[in-house]
Amino acid sequence: MTNQETGLVGDERSLLTRRITTSINQSINSYSYQPNYFFITKEKMIPSWTRATKVESSFIDNYGVPIGTELEVERRHSNGYEHDGEIIYDINKTAMLHHYIDRHGEFTNDITEGQERQLVQLWNAKEDGSLSNGIEFVSQPMTLEMWQSIPLTFENYTGDYAGYHRRSTGFHTHMPKGAFTDTQLFLWFHLMETLGTAKVEHQRYKTVLNVIGQREFNSWARFEMPQFSNNVKSKHAQTAIERTNNGGGRYKFINLQPRATIELRFFNANMRSERLLKNVEFVDSTYEFTNYLDNDPLCGLEETLQVDTYYEYIKSRPERYSNLLEYLEGYERRFTRDMWLMRDIDDFEYEAYHNLLNDRDIDADRRLTTEIGRY
């Protein structure tokens, strides 16, 4: 590719390259460190928003839900500290040059334009008290297309860090709460409960979620659904409305304690690129599946109560979910007949779902009336 084809020519290209290579933060930051977060896709980036309730977002409509990740690793050697900065630099430089300079071999725009020429570092390193001698790589929230298009080079450093075979490490993902309507979040809770209770025949993994996360639920990620209050007919509905968890702390497989994001904590740490992508593809697929159900009046709660409707959905999109499907195909013989049956729920859940739909329709009518009244 020529410089002209990337839209960055001569001194402009050299200046941006120099800014990337001199601005990377190679430090191990404190656990409380909070960089500026952006929603990033291949074509553009915008400052992240922090509202917990539904945000009407053309970014998500056009590019998909942004997913941030936290990869915990332990150092293999006690004297490995001197290599941390170099590794942080290399992981970021490789991906950032591809994103900002080469523009994925597709685009001619300067993606920093309109954002005050701000370069956003894709991964920052942080301390984590749950690790004995390790660090946590925290990503920017990126869409699935972005994740699938940038070079992921963590597996080049398995001689320095260990993830998968250490008990203390994990892999967490974050989605913005504001990406969900109340009805979609209600459906999403039911889907996650279905996948977390659907049994498989495996020596190590008991459920579909354990297979996907590559580990059993544990004290850091308990299989316990978030709930806002015990004194309601439908805990899922009330939690979808309130978007917070009032009991049990943050060590559930779904953590709603962050103000603006939903955290999934049940994945095992993994430095292999295809496994990192498998995890991100799974998170994206649960959002896309429930978003599809939320927008189709012929669909409903039943589709989230059995594994096969979700599985058929991702199988219908093999290019988007290639790593997830390749991984799951290796476990299909472990799937049980009972796994495909519809999960039993009480009538309160159906009543709650219809109430949420009615509330949404009323709100939509109010917005339409308001819009008409402006003309």
Side-chain angles (χ1 to χ4, degrees), residues 31 39-40 53 71 78 155 221 229 298 318 323 344-345 347 375:
Y31 183 74
F39 294 160
I40 304 176
T53 53
L71 173 61
S78 59
E155 59 194 338
S229 171
L298 297 179
N323 293 282
D344 289 331
I345 58 173
D347 291 339
Y375 295 95

Side-chain angles (χ1 to χ4, degrees), residues 99 140-141 163 291:
H99 178 57
Q140 289 286 331
N291 185 50

Side-chain angles (χ1 to χ4, degrees), residues 141-199:
M142 298 183 284
T143 63
L144 179 58
E145 185 181 41
M146 176 74 174
W147 275 105
Q148 292 171 333
S149 67
I150 55 176
L152 300 175
T153 56
F154 290 98
E155 59 194 338
N156 294 345
Y157 304 102
T158 53
D160 300 277
Y161 302 128
Y164 182 79
H165 294 291
R166 297 297 177 92
R167 291 182 179 273
S168 58
T169 58
F171 182 77
H172 307 155
T173 67
H174 289 259
M175 285 186 291
K177 291 178 180 176
F180 290 82
T181 64
D182 292 346
T183 48
Q184 183 188 353
L185 190 52
F186 175 80
L187 294 170
W188 186 82
F189 285 147
H190 273 288
L191 173 66
M192 296 303 291
E193 187 167 13
T194 295
L195 297 176
T197 54
K199 302 296 184 182

Side-chain angles (χ1 to χ4, degrees), residues 244-278:
T244 189
N245 176 39
N246 278 357
R250 66 188 181 97
Y251 297 122
K252 298 181 179 183
F253 80 113
I254 299 172
N255 174 27
L256 294 184
Q257 286 201 346
R259 178 179 180 275
T261 64
I262 299 169
E263 181 186 32
L264 290 178
R265 301 178 51 86
F266 63 90
F267 299 102
N268 199 355
N270 212 309
M271 298 175 70
R272 291 171 55 184
S273 297
E274 67 270 26
R275 295 295 182 253
L276 291 173
L277 290 174
K278 175 264 294 180

